[in-house]
Amino acid sequence: MKIYLKIWRQDSPATPGAMKNYELDDVSADMSFLEMMDLLNESLIQKSERVVEFDHDCREGICGQCGMMINGRAHGPLTHTTTCQLHMRSFKDGDTIYIEPFRAAAFPIVRDLKVDRKAFDKIIQASGFTSASTGEAPEANGILIAHTIAEAAFDAAACIGCGACVATCKNSSAELFTSAKITQLALLPQGQVERADRVIAMVDQMDAEGFGHCTNTEACEVECPQEISVLHIARMNYEYNRASIISH
Amino acid sequence: MLDSKIPEGTLADKWDNYKEHVKLVNPANRKKLDVIVVGTGLAGASCAASLGELGYNVKSFCFQDSPRRAHSVAAQGGVNAAKNYKNDGDSVFRMFSDTIKGGDFRSREANVYRLAECSANLIDQAVAQGVPFAREYGGYLNNRSFGGVQVSRTFYARGQTGQQLLLGAYQALMRQVGANKVKTYTRHEMLDLVVVDGKAKGIITRDLVTGEIERHAANAVVLASGGYGKVYYLSTLAMGCNSSAIWRAHKKGAYMSGVSWIQFHPTCLPQSGEHQSKLTLMSESLRNDGRIWVPKKAHDDRKPNDIPEEERDYYLERRYPTFGNLAPRDISSRAAKERVDAGCGVGVMKNAVFLDFSKAIKEQGKEKIKEKYSNLFKMYDKINAVNAYETPMLISPAAHFTMGGLWVDYELMTTIPGLFALGEANFADHGANRLGANSLLQASVDGYFIAPYSIPNYLAGELKAEKITTDHVAFAEAEHAVKEQLQQFLNINGHLSADHFHKTLGKLLYDGCGLSRTKASLEKAIVLIRQLRAQFYTELKITGDHTVNSELEKAGRVADYLDLGILMCEDALSREESCGAHFREEYQTADGEALRNDKDFCYVSAWEWKGAHAEHELHKEPLIFENVSLTVRSYK
Ligand SMILES: Cc1cc2nc3c(=O)[nH]c(=O)nc-3n(C[C@H](O)[C@H](O)[C@H](O)COP(=O)(O)OP(=O)(O)OC[C@H]3O[C@@H](n4cnc5c(N)ncnc54)[C@H](O)[C@@H]3O)c2cc1C
Ligand code: SF4
Ligand code: FES
C-alpha cells in the first residue's frame, strides 16, 4: 500500500524542529510499524539524507524503549500496544500518518523522535526498591504470599517504563508510572519496612523532575501497553497520606 | 597453556574451598578501587550493584537509554533452581547432571556444579527484592517444568520472568546509584578495551548522543554485554544486541570459545516476508501444554482444524516418546527443520510447524490456559491477528542463544588479567547446548554470587600496583584507533546500507552455519563472508554526522559481526563431530541423531586472534569428567 508520512525532524534540543513529508510506496500490511520506519530510512540512505532517529530495541513490546505519538496517540491507534507491536494492517492504502516524539518537559528531545527519559530512573533511584543487599535474603518460602497478592503485585510490576502515560497526559504527569512501583512494593511483605519512606521519596522526586499532577482524566490507562490501572494512583495517594500521618 | 583454575577438593567442596581462600580487600581500601561494568542485563546489573554494595567505585555502561532495557528483560519462561519444593527428586547434583548432559558433555564440571549450588540462593535474593514470582493458593512459590528435564524446577513470573528479575537487579543498581556508589553511563557504547602491560585497565566508549569518544580507566573491567545471536540478523535478540564489546576485547588478546555453538529456539514466530527485522520468541513453557505437529502428507494446504487427528504427525511424541514435546531445544529445532525440509512445513513460507492447545484446553479448561499464558496468546494475536485459543499457533526455529563467548576460567576471568566476562558474554556453563531457564540463572549467579568473590580476589593485588590513568599512551592509541574506524565508515560513501550487509550475512550464516552444518557449507560460507566483508569496506553508505547516528552505530556492529561470522564457521569446521546444537551432517547415527566423538573432541576450543591478516590459532582446554560418565544423550 501507499503511505504518506509527516514526521517531526529536529536536529538537537537546541535547534527548532518541524514536520517533514515523506511517501512510501511498497508498505505491506504484515510489516510492523517500525519495519515501515526501517523501509523509510533505507530510502533516505539511498537519497543521501540523514535517517529519522527513533528509539527501539527489543521489538517485542517489553523493553519500553520504543514510543512515538502516532496520529496524536501515544504508541498509535491500538489500545494497550507498544509502537513496535503495532502493524501496518492497522492502516489503509493512502493513509497519512503523523509521527511525533513523546513530548513532556521532563522528557527533552534528543533528536527527531528520540527523547531522554532519565527522569524515570531518578524516580526509581529515590526509593523504588527494597534495600536487600546481595546475600541478605532469607529462605524464599519463609514468608508466604497469597496467590492474589502476588498476582496483584505482578499487575503493578509489569510496567515497562515507556513513558506513554506521561506523553498522553495533558499535565505530563508520571503518576501512573510512579504509582505502579509504589503499589507493587506496598503490597508485598518484603516492601513493608520502607513503605512510608518510599512513597514520600518517590513522589517528591517525581515533582522535582518536573512532571505535572494528575487531574483524573485517565487517558494514561487507555494508552498504557501493560494495562496498568489508574487505581494504582488512588493507592499511591492513600499511601502518601498514610505515610504523612505516620511520619508526623 | 590454559589454566581454568579449578579449586581443589570434591565437586561439592570446590566452591566453599574457593570462597574460604579468596583474598579480601579491607573496606577502607575498596573505594580506592575502580571497576568498569559494561552491560546492565542480569549479569551486569547484579554485578555492579553487588560491587557497589561492597564499597567499590563502579561505573556501569549500557547502550540503551536506561539500564532497565537490557535484553534480559525479554526472557519469558522462567529461571531454574534446585529448591526441590515439589519433592520430586530434585537436588543440586541432579541439576548439575541434567545441565552437563543437556550441554552434551562439553562444559566444565566444576562450573556447572557451582551454578546448581548457587541456584537456590538466587530465588531467595529475587524474592527479597520484591520479584513477584507465581504463587500457589497456599502462598508457596510455584514451579513448572521446562524442556530437557523431568523435575519441576522452573520459577516464573507469568510470561515475564526476565523482566521481573531484571527489574529486581535494576532496582538494586538504582539504589547504589542513589547512594553514589555506582555511576551509570546510558547511551554509551564500548568500542575498545585498553590493555596496559598485559592487564585490562579501561575502555574507550562513544557517547551515542554527543558522539564524544571517551576514556575510562579502572582496576578491573567486566564485560556483561550479552549474547551475539543477532549475528544472524533474524533472531530473538534485540536490534542493538552486538558482539562489539567482546570482539574488540578478543582483538586485544581475550580468547573466544565455542563460537559456533548457537541455540536455535524451536518456538518462535516464523518469518513472513523480506521486510522482517526480528523473530519473536513464544516462550518454551508453551510446550508444557501445547502439542507440536505437522500434516503427515507433504504440501498439505488444508486449514489445521480441518486436518483429522490420524493425518497429523506429532513428530516429537513419535520420535522421543519419553520427553515428547518437552525434548530439548536443539533436538526439537532440528526435528522441525527435518519435517520442513521434507515438505511438510506449514504457513505462507512453508517454514513453520503447528503448536496446538486444543487438547490442553479440553482437559484443563480455557481459563486455566489463560491464567498460564494469556500474555503470550495476546502477543500472538497482536502480531498475527490470529486467536490461538481456536487455531494452532505457527512456530519455527530461530537463532536465540550463544553458548559460545569469551573464554573464562573458574573465576570468570578471561585470558587478559583483570578482564572478566559474565552472563551470556562468556562461554562457561552451558556446553554445546543450553537448557531452558538456565541462562537467566547463570547471568544472575555470575553477577550476584561469583563476581563479588572473584573480582575482589583480583583487586586485592591491584592495591599496590601502579595507578594507570587515562593519560597513559595506551588510552591515546585506543582512542585514536576508534576515531579512525568511525571516520573510515563515514568516508566509504558507497551505496549499500549497514542493514543490507547485516541481512546478507545473516542469510549466509543460516545456510552455512545454522541448525545443521557440513564441511562444504562451512567452507562456502567462509568464502562468501570474506567477499561480503571486502564489499562492506568499499560499498557501505552511511548518512548523517558524528553525533546521534544510528547508522554509524550499526556499521561498527556489522563490521564486528562480519569478522565473528568467519570465526564461527572456522570453529564449526574444526569440530568434526556433532554435539548439542552443533550438528555436522557428516557425523550422525543411522536414525539421524548427533554422533559425538569424545576421543578427539572432548575439549573446549579457545581461539586466539593473531592479527587482521593472520589465521586464528586454536588452543584446547581438555574437559575432564570425574563425576558423571559420558553417555549418549538420549531423550527417546
Ligand atoms: C527472547 C528471549 C527469551 C529468553 N528466555 C529465557 C528464559 O525464559 N529463561 C532463561 O533462563 N533464559 C532466557 N533467555 C536467555 C537470557 O535471557 C539471556 O541469556 C540473559 O538474560 C543474558 O543476560 P546478560 O546480562 O548476559 O545480557 P543482556 O541482558 O543481553 O545485557 C547486555 C547488556 O550489555 C549492554 N551492552 C552490549 N554491548 C554493549 C557495548 N558494546 N557497549 C555498552 N554496553 C553494551 C547492553 O546495553 C545491555 O545492558 C532468553 C533470551 C531471549 C533473547
Ligand atoms: S505505566 Fe504504562 S504507559 Fe506508563 S511507563 Fe509504565 S508501561 Fe508505559
Ligand atoms: S522496542 Fe522494546 S518495547 Fe518496543
Side-chain angles (χ1 to χ4, degrees), chain B residues 14-248:
Chain B
K14 286 183 193 296
W15 180 229
D16 285 339
N17 281 351
Y18 176 82
K19 285 191 289 186
E20 282 157 14
H21 294 101
V22 285
K23 293 191 213 99
L24 300 178
V25 178
N26 182 316
N29 282 332
R30 293 180 195 159
K31 54 180 171 303
K32 297 181 201 151
L33 293 163
D34 304 322
V35 182
I36 284 170
V37 182
V38 178
T40 58
L42 268 173
S46 59
C47 172
S50 302
L51 292 178
E53 286 159 11
L54 287 171
Y56 297 97
N57 236 332
V58 182
K59 285 184 176 181
S60 151
F61 295 81
C62 69
F63 66 76
Q64 291 94 344
D65 79 328
S66 164
R68 65 181 289 152
R69 310 206 197 281
H71 201 50
S72 292
V73 81
Q76 302 168 350
V79 57
N80 285 337
K83 282 280 198 189
N84 194 30
Y85 283 160
K86 294 284 170 190
N87 198 28
D88 57 359
D90 202 7
S91 65
V92 169
F93 188 84
R94 189 175 299 276
M95 182 166 175
F96 153 78
S97 66
D98 283 346
T99 305
I100 287 272
K101 178 185 169 198
D104 218 356
F105 305 93
R106 291 294 175 265
S107 48
R108 255 184 230 140
E109 280 195 337
N111 284 57
V112 174
Y113 194 88
R114 176 178 62 185
L115 178 73
E117 210 178 341
C118 296
S119 65
N121 228 319
L122 172 69
I123 303 303
D124 302 341
Q125 187 66 34
V127 166
Q129 290 169 344
V131 171
F133 283 123
R135 300 266 168 177
E136 292 173 350
Y137 284 96
Y140 292 93
L141 284 154
N142 205 351
N143 294 126
R144 59 185 171 205
S145 58
F146 239 53
V149 299
Q150 288 172 311
V151 293
S152 278
R153 69 162 73 101
T154 307
F155 293 76
Y156 62 100
R158 240 174 263 174
Q160 284 157 237
T161 316
Q163 183 205 25
Q164 293 307 317
L165 283 173
L166 182 65
L167 290 180
Y170 159 76
Q171 286 162 203
L173 180 66
M174 288 299 102
R175 177 172 160 240
Q176 297 309 315
V177 174
N180 287 323
K181 304 269 196 55
V182 178
K183 188 160 167 25
T184 47
Y185 295 80
T186 58
R187 294 202 201 265
H188 273 67
E189 183 158 16
M190 167 183 161
L191 291 181
D192 210 353
L193 176 76
V194 179
V195 178
V196 178
D197 296 332
K199 289 174 161 183
K201 287 291 178 188
I203 60 173
I204 305 293
T205 59
R206 177 164 177 269
D207 180 327
L208 302 180
V209 176
T210 63
E212 202 153 323
I213 306 300
E214 299 169 354
R215 307 175 183 188
H216 299 274
N219 298 92
V221 176
V222 179
L223 301 186
S225 54
Y228 54 82
K230 186 76 191 164
V231 66
Y232 289 86
Y233 191 73
L234 286 177
S235 77
T236 62
L237 284 106
M239 302 307 284
C241 289
N242 64 87
S243 66
S244 294
I246 61 171
W247 190 256
R248 291 174 191 213

Side-chain angles (χ1 to χ4, degrees), chain B residues 189-191 206 240-245 247-248 251 482 485-486 488-490 498-499 502 536-537 540 542 549-564:
Chain B
E189 183 158 16
M190 167 183 161
L191 291 181
R206 177 164 177 269
C241 289
N242 64 87
S243 66
S244 294
W247 190 256
R248 291 174 191 213
K251 285 169 127 179
V482 164
Q485 192 198 34
L486 292 167
Q488 181 191 12
F489 294 147
L490 286 164
D499 276 350
H502 197 168
F536 175 85
Y537 286 100
L540 173 71
I542 293 176
N549 191 342
S550 46
E551 291 303 310
L552 193 55
E553 294 166 29
K554 285 182 197 168
R557 295 171 189 161
V558 174
D560 295 332
Y561 276 147
L562 285 162
D563 287 350
L564 172 71

Side-chain angles (χ1 to χ4, degrees), chain A residues 49-207:
Chain A
E49 290 178 32
R50 180 169 80 64
V51 298
V52 179
E53 294 293 343
F54 60 93
D55 265 325
H56 64 109
D57 200 30
C58 73
R59 294 202 177 186
E60 53 181 278
I62 193 69
C63 74
Q65 174 116 345
C66 67
M68 309 170 182
M69 296 303 282
I70 301 169
N71 289 340
R73 287 188 67 178
H75 291 308
L78 300 183
T79 51
H80 310 314
T81 305
T82 55
T83 302
C84 59
Q85 294 285 80
L86 177 65
H87 283 70
M88 294 310 290
R89 68 177 80 92
S90 295
F91 301 90
K92 49 183 199 311
D93 189 32
D95 272 0
T96 300
I97 307 175
Y98 290 78
I99 308 176
E100 289 177 83
F102 278 0
R103 293 187 194 277
F107 289 169
I109 289 181
V110 175
R111 179 174 261 189
D112 299 338
L113 307 171
K114 276 188 195 227
V115 297
D116 180 349
R117 287 166 290 197
K118 274 199 204 75
F120 272 7
D121 289 333
K122 295 261 182 61
I123 294 174
I124 300 296
Q125 281 159 28
S127 211
F129 45 74
T130 68
S131 296
S133 294
T134 302
E136 282 176 348
E139 156 59 39
N141 259 346
I143 304 171
L144 302 186
I145 303 176
H147 178 80
T148 44
I149 298 287
E151 293 294 304
F154 183 97
D155 286 339
C159 162
I160 59 175
C162 63
C165 46
V166 175
T168 297
C169 176
K170 63 182 165 70
N171 308 317
S172 299
S173 165
E175 294 203 5
L176 195 64
F177 167 82
T178 310
S179 66
K181 189 50 66 188
I182 287 169
T183 303
Q184 177 203 346
L185 297 176
L187 282 171
L188 294 170
Q190 289 78 9
Q192 294 312 310
V193 173
E194 297 163 288
R195 183 170 160 190
D197 292 343
R198 176 180 307 115
V199 60
I200 303 275
M202 287 179 76
V203 169
D204 287 354
Q205 191 64 38
M206 186 175 79
D207 293 343

